[in-house]
Amino acid sequence: MNEIIKEKESVEKCSADFFNYRKFLEKHHLFPLGIPIIHVAGTNGKGSVSKIMAKILNDQGMKVGLFTSPHLVNITERIQIQGQSIEEQEFNRLEEKVTCWEEECSLSYNYFQRLTTIALQSMKDHDCDIIILETGLGGRWDSTNVFNKIDLIGTIITKIGYDHKEILGNTLSEITWEKAGIIKEGVPLVTCDQLEEVKDSLSLYIKDIQVIKAKGPEKIIEDEKFQETFIYKESYFTMNTFKTSLTGFYQGTNLALALSGLNSFSLPIKLHSEVLKQSLMNLDFPGRMDFYKDEENRLYLLEGAHNPMGIDALVDFLEQRFHRIFVVTFMLNDKDSPYMLKKLSKISKDFYYPKTNINRGTSPVELSNLQKGNIYNHVDEALAHIKSQYQEGDLILFTGSLYFIGDIIKNIRKYRLKRLK
């Protein structure tokens, strides 16, 4: 009984915070916004889907506002206008403005709510034609979820799996309940094939909703740069074959979600297929299936997979491709490290755990207890050891956390790495 009471109190608090935040946006003319919005939630793929749509629409001549998370190097990466991060000067100015608004109302919003407000104000100031919002965590009580059919032209739910269990719930049904919170009456939903428990739970929330099911590719062709061509049974914009700069089989489903959304939602413009084809050849997702080489021609992969579903997709892609894989990893302490390390052990016996300054990290000693590996004081030391053993046909893999990947990208010049694409 106590647990039920606590859960009820928690929901009531979330609800109160959520609606107070909406009133705050309304007071400052950010709700309703008067700009068409596409809202994206899910466990894996929501960032890719959002960025694919933004790239396509920007190249079609629209001014697109994109809000995603987390960032790799600079916080301004989260807010993009026409494919470019906003300037730090603009971010700082808007942060001061939003802080003043809070003080005037005797309120103090959390970090992500403040970022959402900054993003919305920036996109309004830039007079964006359309906005793509990626949820930060969950969906139902997320600060991006304040909008309704007045502004929303479509919602997308990508693959749902386990992550943030301490917040979203321990079961797939609970997690789906949170993600399904973005579904709105009168707003079409695009989703994809889901796990059975997710499918069953999702069905409870879509009874009176127009649902478009995006299906993955029937065939995938990969070139020597690991770039995928996806061939679908369905046609999008009179085409069913899409050559892309994307790497990873799982991106076929993400592309289908993005194309299904753009094909189904009421966009202000008509998309031109030739321009779309060019867009897909110029997609760039730093830290996601991101291949590099150093001066000695050693091959590196930076992949920010940080939950079981992401690691599953990574292992599926890498299995039996390389002679030897050196895994350099860091994981946050709220992640399912035992599962992820066990899964990675299917493709490697060489694990390296460098110490980092990232908060909330699982210590290298704990990781090594889960999966035997070498502990180092710094990434540089781990790399020096790996380089002494590396042979042609091997791969050096950095994975486990987007924050960790961000640290590596900050030091790309120091490591003298050059992107493969």
Side-chain angles (χ1 to χ4, degrees), residues 316-371:
D316 287 346
F317 177 80
L318 292 177
E319 220 162 6
Q320 299 181 345
R321 280 180 182 261
F322 299 96
H323 171 67
R324 187 178 181 185
I325 298 176
F326 300 91
V327 178
V328 188
T329 190
F330 161 90
M331 296 176 184
L332 294 178
N333 58 21
D334 61 348
K335 300 300 179 181
D336 192 352
S337 300
Y339 178 91
M340 294 193 286
L341 290 170
K342 185 176 181 180
K343 189 73 177 186
L344 286 166
S345 71
K346 288 183 66 177
I347 56 169
S348 176
K349 301 302 174 194
D350 300 284
F351 285 79
Y352 298 80
Y353 306 115
K355 294 178 182 176
T356 75
N357 293 320
I358 302 169
N359 294 328
R360 298 189 295 118
T362 303
S363 75
V365 173
E366 289 179 74
L367 293 175
S368 185
N369 287 337
L370 293 169
Q371 172 62 49

Side-chain angles (χ1 to χ4, degrees), residues 138-332:
R140 187 168 299 276
W141 308 118
D142 193 80
S143 56
T144 61
N145 196 35
V146 295
F147 298 99
N148 53 33
K149 64 181 178 182
I150 296 172
D151 290 309
L152 287 172
I153 61 170
T155 57
I156 297 177
I157 295 181
T158 66
K159 286 278 189 181
I160 294 176
Y162 290 107
D163 202 5
H164 302 291
K165 290 196 285 188
E166 74 288 354
I167 298 171
L168 302 181
N170 291 312
T171 68
L172 287 174
S173 295
E174 291 174 305
I175 294 170
T176 302
W177 181 80
E178 292 283 355
K179 308 287 184 186
I182 74 161
I183 298 170
K184 302 291 192 306
E185 182 184 349
V187 180
L189 166 71
V190 171
T191 189
C192 57
D193 192 34
Q194 302 280 3
L195 297 168
E196 283 303 318
E197 189 177 341
V198 173
K199 210 179 294 183
D200 292 344
S201 298
L202 205 54
S203 67
L204 301 174
Y205 311 107
I206 58 176
K207 289 176 181 176
D208 300 314
I209 302 294
Q210 179 194 351
V211 180
I212 300 97
K213 177 80 172 290
K215 295 180 181 176
E218 287 196 323
K219 187 178 180 181
I220 302 172
I221 302 169
E222 189 174 270
D223 67 17
E224 68 281 356
K225 290 185 177 180
F226 307 107
Q227 295 179 331
E228 319 292 359
T229 295
F230 300 108
I231 301 171
Y232 299 91
K233 185 176 180 180
E234 294 81 7
S235 289
Y236 301 103
F237 308 100
T238 71
M239 301 177 289
N240 73 336
T241 300
F242 298 90
K243 185 172 173 58
T244 77
S245 59
L246 297 169
T247 298
F249 306 147
Y250 63 91
Q251 291 288 18
T253 297
N254 292 334
L255 178 58
L257 284 162
L259 293 174
S260 293
L262 297 180
N263 201 37
S264 306
F265 302 154
S266 298
L267 298 174
I269 63 167
K270 182 181 178 182
L271 303 190
H272 300 284
S273 57
E274 289 304 313
V275 178
L276 189 151
K277 284 195 282 189
Q278 288 301 312
S279 298
L280 297 184
M281 285 303 300
N282 291 288
L283 295 167
D284 183 26
F285 302 161
R288 289 297 196 179
M289 298 304 284
D290 204 359
F291 281 96
Y292 289 78
K293 280 193 174 181
D294 65 15
E295 293 172 324
E296 302 299 320
N297 216 37
R298 301 181 191 94
L299 186 64
Y300 298 73
L301 175 60
L302 278 58
E303 167 50 46
H306 55 275
N307 56 40
M309 189 176 280
I311 292 293
D312 285 346
L314 173 63
V315 170
D316 287 346
F317 177 80
L318 292 177
E319 220 162 6
Q320 299 181 345
R321 280 180 182 261
F322 299 96
H323 171 67
R324 187 178 181 185
I325 298 176
F326 300 91
V327 178
V328 188
T329 190
F330 161 90
M331 296 176 184
L332 294 178

